[in-house]
Amino acid sequence: MPDLSLCLEALSAVTGCNVQQTTALSQLTPQDIVNIVALKEFYKQEGFKELEYKSVGTLSLRDSDDMDLYSAPPALKEGPSTAGPDASMRATVKVNPQEFFDQQYDYDFTNVKDGDKSFMRGSEQYVRPCGWSRVALRVVGKYDGGEAWLGTGSSAWPVSYHGNNMDGTSGIILARKESTAEEPGFLDAAAASLTTGETRGRGVYSTPDVKVAEKYCKKFKSQVDGNTYKVVLQNRINPEKRQQCQREGYCVVYVPDDANDVQTRAIVQESLRPYGILLKRL
């Protein structure tokens, strides 16, 4: 496992919180991490500027590249909303490393090259995160229904990677339609999206390819060693909840127009389960 302080910095980068170590109970679970990242992207896509998350507080949805973890960016009040920032400090949350991380499943892919090797998770190809180091999250025994979702068999969920800025605004648009009867309308919508740049599915995006996720990932400069790192979430995605996008290499979990905040969070939790944080030193 990389230095613990570096891992906490990575969590801070992806959540926008100040994540600290504790020996007491964690305020965040691994599931909370992917919830926060996915919901922040979704509500930003919807035009909001903040997210209220239980156990964390109010989180700003403002863009921040090359994040300085030790600055005090503005947080925002009661959300989602369109209010502007106030002078609040970044939310501080604490996690217990013993109950949050699972070192036995850490894996260093930094110098791994798979070449023509093929790996499967469920019935789909698993593109391993070569070039990255994986910090495993403690998720075994945390979900109902056993661990089949996390395995390698036919009932396992496929692997999904999540970069912080995958909010559907970069042409990651429209689910692929299976019915040929819907194809003309789909083509019209796709053509419109090329000219307006606004057409996109209302939902949470991810990708089975870590190289695609890397394009959208969060970067941060570490005070542990002075290096800059990229960070990506490695998840499993429920194949019954996601749809493939027309743009190859992307998938979307749709959120209905009439879904409220509680329902939106439930959709994320039913669809995405995290099991690793990936780090790459620049």
Side-chain angles (χ1 to χ4, degrees), residues 64-76:
S64 58
D65 295 324
D66 298 317
M67 180 179 177
D68 180 356
L69 298 176
Y70 304 94
S71 65
L76 301 173

Side-chain angles (χ1 to χ4, degrees), residues 109 129 142:
F109 292 94
K142 302 297 184 180

Side-chain angles (χ1 to χ4, degrees), residues 136-204:
L137 304 176
R138 191 171 296 279
V139 294
V140 173
K142 302 297 184 180
Y143 298 93
D144 294 336
E147 314 306 331
W149 69 275
L150 192 56
T152 61
S154 58
S155 58
W157 290 9
V159 172
S160 166
Y161 297 102
H162 214 101
N164 276 64
N165 295 310
M166 297 184 69
D167 65 355
T169 59
S170 300
I172 314 172
I173 51 171
L174 301 170
R176 181 181 296 133
K177 304 296 185 181
E178 299 299 331
S179 171
T180 55
E182 295 178 327
E183 191 68 14
F186 173 80
L187 292 176
D188 290 343
S193 72
L194 295 176
T195 59
T196 67
E198 297 298 328
T199 304
R200 54 185 180 269
R202 186 178 190 269
V204 174

Side-chain angles (χ1 to χ4, degrees), residues 46-99:
E46 290 295 287
F48 297 110
K49 298 186 183 299
E50 61 191 22
L51 167 69
E52 184 75 16
Y53 193 85
K54 186 178 179 180
S55 78
V56 174
T58 307
L59 300 174
S60 171
L61 305 187
R62 74 186 188 98
D63 293 323
S64 58
D65 295 324
D66 298 317
M67 180 179 177
D68 180 356
L69 298 176
Y70 304 94
S71 65
L76 301 173
K77 295 181 179 179
E78 294 302 321
S81 81
T82 56
D86 63 15
S88 301
M89 301 290 286
R90 185 188 304 277
T92 295
V93 294
K94 297 184 178 182
V95 299
N96 185 328
Q98 296 301 315
E99 65 182 23

Side-chain angles (χ1 to χ4, degrees), residues 41 124-127 158-166 172 204-217 232-237 242-245 247-253 272 275 278:
E41 293 161 11
E124 298 181 19
Q125 185 175 2
Y126 167 35
V127 180
V159 172
S160 166
Y161 297 102
H162 214 101
N164 276 64
N165 295 310
M166 297 184 69
I172 314 172
V204 174
Y205 292 83
S206 60
T207 174
D209 189 343
V210 69
K211 292 181 179 178
V212 173
E214 185 174 2
K215 298 176 183 178
Y216 302 91
C217 75
V232 164
L233 296 180
Q234 186 175 27
N235 312 310
R236 296 297 183 95
I237 189 167
R242 58 100 210 256
Q243 296 187 48
Q244 300 296 332
C245 291
R247 184 173 179 183
E248 186 175 358
Y250 299 88
C251 58
V252 60
V253 174
L272 289 168
Y275 72 106
L278 302 178

